[in-house]
Structures are given as C-alpha cells and as structure tokens.
Amino acid sequence: PRASLSSSRDPRTGTRVIPRRVELLDTSVLVELLGLPFMSDHKEEVEAEFIQRTERGTELLLPLATIVETGQHVERVADGHQRRQCAHRFARLLQATVDREAPWSFSPTIWDPDLVAELIEPREDAVPALANSLARQELEMGDLLILAEFRSLRSNLDPRARDVDVWTRDSRLRTAVDALREGGRRRGR
C-alpha cells in the first residue's frame, strides 16, 4: 500500500496533522476474506494485510457494488455444499456489519441522480464514461460503481483529515484509482 497523503498543519494549533486512511473494500479482497472457492488463492496474504490495516487504524468501508458482486460470485459456486457454506458466511458478514460488529462499515454513499450522472459521464478525465468502458471492456460495472463511490467520498471528506483509497487486488481498478488519486493531488485535493 502507498503512504498516506502528506501531512498538513492544523490552522488553529499549527500542529502537524496526518490524514486518517479510509479504504473502500473491493470484491477482489472480500472474496479472499470469505474464502470463496476458486477465488481465494491469496487468503492468508489478504488476511495479513487486513490485520495490518486494522492495526494502523484504517477505516474500512463496504461499498454496495462489492456486496452485489460478492453475492453474485457466491451464487456461482458450482458445488452446492460449498455454495451454502459461502452463502451463510456472507450473510453472517453482512449481519455483523448491520450490527456494527464487523471491522468495517457500509459506505455512506447516497445513490441519487447526481451520482448516477457522474457514473454515466464522469467529470474527471481519469475515469472512462460508462458506455465507453463497458463497450471497450476497460472496467466492469462493479469497478465503475466503486470508482463513483470513491469520488463521492473523496469530494465529501476533508483531504487534510481523510486519505481515501480503494483496497483492491484488481490491477485495472488499481490503475484507475491511482490516476484519480494523483489527479486529485494535483488539484489540491
């Protein structure tokens, strides 16, 4: 993982402020943590990274896109017994999140016409428009939704207090997030 945004000074006290890290969980991470058959080849590595992140105080958020995509992957597990086990683990994970017992919370992104308009035609050049991305097979719908949630979070949080990122094992999504993060830094975000 990259280092957090550079620190800034609190205007009231002049003390150095290091932004708290906020990360959206991508499906590629959640399927590893769930131990989904044929999709969790790096479970131990991801679990170790998870422990490091939580020990560092990283705030983890579960986006709607990750929930939907993970549910679809669970449904596609061929072996009925394994599928049932995965489905129950997934349901327990979601219930723990509802009960605020999970080490993450749901992403606070509000799905409204503005967010959907941003998904269809992003204002930032680093993100492809919905139709182009899908037609060219650049980013999948779930990745585009996570990017929309990322941009929404980033625009609503003070960058001096929160360093927003996406925890993903997907190289295409990682590239898109990195481009947005670099562009956001250049514009003073």
Side-chain angles (χ1 to χ4, degrees):
R2 289 183 316 260
S4 295
L5 292 172
S6 60
S7 63
S8 59
R9 300 274 175 196
D10 182 315
R12 294 170 297 153
T13 64
T15 58
R16 197 172 143 208
V17 177
I18 298 174
R20 182 167 178 199
R21 190 134 172 111
V22 177
E23 293 182 349
L24 292 164
L25 290 171
D26 178 42
T27 307
S28 62
V29 172
L30 194 59
V31 296
E32 295 281 355
L33 293 172
L34 274 175
L36 233 59
F38 308 108
M39 296 192 78
S40 56
D41 297 336
H42 305 279
K43 185 173 175 42
E44 293 79 21
E45 179 185 332
V46 170
E47 286 175 342
E49 287 179 46
F50 173 77
I51 290 168
Q52 290 174 348
R53 281 173 161 79
T54 56
E55 286 176 350
R56 284 193 310 253
T58 300
E59 181 180 351
L60 299 172
L61 299 176
L62 191 58
L64 179 61
T66 298
I67 295 168
V68 171
E69 284 186 326
T70 302
Q72 290 171 330
H73 290 308
V74 168
E75 188 271 334
R76 291 182 189 131
V77 172
D79 179 275
H81 179 70
Q82 287 182 327
R83 185 174 51 251
R84 244 182 315 286
Q85 287 179 325
C86 290
H88 286 286
R89 283 196 307 270
F90 186 49
R92 285 192 303 271
L93 177 144
L94 292 176
Q95 187 61 54
T97 309
V98 168
D99 295 341
R100 299 174 192 242
E101 296 170 356
W104 49 69
S105 57
F106 295 114
S107 171
T109 302
I110 297 172
W111 284 89
D112 61 12
D114 292 336
L115 186 69
V116 175
E118 177 69 16
L119 175 66
I120 295 167
E121 193 62 47
R123 289 179 291 242
E124 297 182 64
D125 292 336
V127 179
L130 175 78
N132 290 339
S133 183
L134 296 176
R136 295 178 189 152
Q137 297 180 320
E138 294 174 339
L139 292 169
E140 296 175 354
M141 188 66 191
D143 294 341
L144 292 170
L145 292 170
I146 287 173
L147 288 172
E149 289 195 48
F150 168 82
R151 292 189 317 271
S152 174
L153 269 176
R154 192 181 63 175
S155 69
N156 290 312
L157 296 176
D158 181 348
R160 293 170 300 183
R162 296 283 197 269
D163 176 17
V164 180
D165 202 350
V166 175
W167 181 15
T168 183
R169 298 182 58 79
D170 179 322
S171 61
R172 291 189 301 176
L173 179 56
R174 177 79 266 151
T175 298
V177 171
D178 288 347
L180 285 170
R181 286 174 54 86
E182 290 304 315
R185 286 185 188 153
R186 281 195 297 273
R187 284 189 291 278
R189 286 193 152 165

